[in-house]
Amino acid sequence: MMPTPRLFRSRWAALWWAVGIVWFAIEVAGVKPGGHAAANAATANSMTDATGSTVDEHDLAVLANAMAN
């Protein structure tokens, strides 16, 4: 639900409304620790599944094939 146009008559009110929207988005989506691209690239090479075992290219190909059918 969008706020009434009266909210945007004040720049400060609009700013605080926008801060609230961003805060809500961060709370919902979360922030991944080590959100740097280099850190994420390093962890991409050591993916694990729900059981904790490592995932390799063959496992990903099997999964892609199963999803395609």
Side-chain angles (χ1 to χ4, degrees):
M1 179 177 181
M2 287 295 296
T4 62
R6 185 174 50 132
L7 173 71
F8 296 110
R9 290 182 188 163
S10 166
R11 289 182 185 158
W12 286 106
L15 177 67
W16 284 111
W17 179 80
V19 167
I21 296 297
V22 171
W23 188 351
F24 177 73
I26 290 172
E27 287 293 322
V28 170
V31 177
K32 184 176 181 181
H36 300 288
N40 291 338
T43 59
N45 296 333
S46 61
M47 291 186 296
T48 59
D49 61 5
T51 62
S53 60
T54 58
V55 177
D56 59 0
E57 293 296 325
H58 174 70
D59 296 331
L60 295 175
V62 170
L63 181 61
N65 187 28
M67 290 176 63
N69 295 331

